[in-house]
Amino acid sequence: MYRFLLTPRWWGINLFVALAIPVCLFMGSWQLTRFEDRVQDHKDAERQATTDTGAARPLASLLPVDKKTSGEKATATGRWGRQLLVPDRELDDKDGYYVLTLLRTDAGKSLPVVRGWLPGTADAKKAPAPPQGEVEVTGALQASESPSSNGVTTAGGLPSGQVGMISAASLVNMVPDDLYDAWVTLDQGTGPLTPVPATAPEDSGLDMKAFQNLGYTGEWFVFAGFVVFMWFRLFRREREFARDAELGLVPDATEAQPHTT
């Protein structure tokens, strides 16, 4: 009854199944590992963003910003320049805005510095002016924001003196100086300003790509199960056909073969 398993057709089916199942299981396991790695990266990035990373280092030694240097303490010396407001930013579940001031460094470039946060609607009159003279600032280094960053306003049409995204690309037409492709949020606010905590860098964990990896994991395991299901389905139909042939219920087992769908 099972001699059909020795036919070339079934040799091919069995070989395909024997190769397909390990491949599906391997790919599913690999995608699951990728998801777990992204989760760990996310935890590490959050820990780095919220933990005291030790002594501050000069800004130049931490550039360009990457996952390792994001959140590190940076120091820079210079003079305060133009001040802008970043509206629609939440802090502790309250609506408010950032006070962003450009620091013209000794290197001749301007560094965006978030001096702090204020509650309510963005109002330049409520934002305290920066001190005069040369200053040294210390804060957490952050990568330039992108349209997908939390809190970013990309609708446009903001009032003069406001910017929706903290990045060199959004500030280049607002200031005449060269800009660093990074920004700093100060450790301590002055006056009414509340310090803005550092955030984890983008693409460091639980984003859409991470959940895509998790989805692919399920798909590969489903594929493996489907291969097994189809093999048993074909096997059962072939066995029933062979049994019917032995009982003489079909005219010629060599001429009539079951059709699979």
Side-chain angles (χ1 to χ4, degrees):
M1 183 183 298
Y2 299 106
R3 286 181 296 177
F4 64 86
L5 293 173
L6 300 178
T7 62
R9 174 171 174 266
W10 270 93
W11 273 106
I13 293 174
N14 292 333
L15 178 62
F16 172 79
V17 172
L19 294 176
I21 292 177
V23 169
C24 290
L25 295 178
F26 170 79
M27 292 301 297
S29 300
W30 179 75
Q31 290 289 350
L32 182 59
T33 300
R34 290 286 297 157
F35 173 74
E36 292 173 343
D37 289 344
R38 287 182 178 276
V39 171
Q40 187 60 49
D41 287 345
H42 181 71
K43 292 180 179 179
D44 293 342
E46 283 191 332
R47 188 182 303 111
Q48 180 173 326
T50 57
T51 303
D52 189 344
T53 54
R57 292 188 285 168
L59 174 66
S61 67
L62 298 173
L63 297 177
V65 187
D66 55 24
K67 292 180 182 180
K68 292 183 179 180
T69 59
S70 179
E72 291 281 342
K73 280 188 177 182
T75 61
T77 304
R79 295 176 179 272
W80 294 116
R82 185 177 181 184
Q83 183 159 285
L84 302 166
L85 305 180
V86 187
D88 302 324
R89 296 302 176 105
E90 290 187 356
L91 186 63
D92 297 330
D93 297 325
K94 296 179 180 179
D95 295 330
Y97 56 99
Y98 293 167
V99 177
L100 175 71
T101 311
L102 296 173
L103 180 73
R104 184 174 175 81
T105 67
D106 298 337
K109 300 176 68 175
S110 288
L111 172 69
V113 177
V114 172
R115 296 172 53 225
W117 174 91
L118 289 173
T121 303
D123 186 348
K125 296 179 180 178
K126 296 181 180 179
Q132 299 293 320
E134 187 171 80
V135 295
E136 181 179 18
V137 299
T138 301
L141 184 65
Q142 301 279 262
S144 289
E145 294 181 330
S146 69
S148 62
S149 301
N150 290 333
V152 165
T153 300
T154 58
L158 292 175
S160 177
Q162 295 186 21
V163 61
M165 182 169 63
I166 308 174
S167 70
S170 61
L171 294 169
V172 66
N173 294 324
M174 304 182 70
V175 295
D177 301 332
D178 291 334
L179 292 161
Y180 288 97
D181 189 19
W183 58 285
V184 166
T185 175
L186 296 186
D187 292 339
Q188 298 179 347
T190 56
L193 297 175
T194 302
V196 175
T199 59
E202 294 186 50
D203 194 25
S204 62
L206 297 180
D207 54 9
M208 184 59 67
K209 291 182 179 179
F211 290 105
Q212 284 179 345
N213 291 134
L214 188 60
Y216 294 152
T217 298
E219 288 180 0
W220 281 111
F221 289 149
V222 168
F223 290 159
F226 181 74
V227 170
V228 174
F229 167 77
M230 289 302 298
W231 185 91
F232 275 108
R233 188 168 183 267
L234 290 173
F235 173 80
R236 186 178 63 181
R237 295 188 63 179
E238 197 85 7
R239 183 187 62 182
E240 291 174 353
F241 179 82
R243 182 184 60 190
D244 291 345
E246 289 181 354
L247 295 175
L249 299 180
V250 294
D252 190 344
T254 60
E255 295 179 2
Q257 291 292 333
H259 296 284
T260 59
T261 57

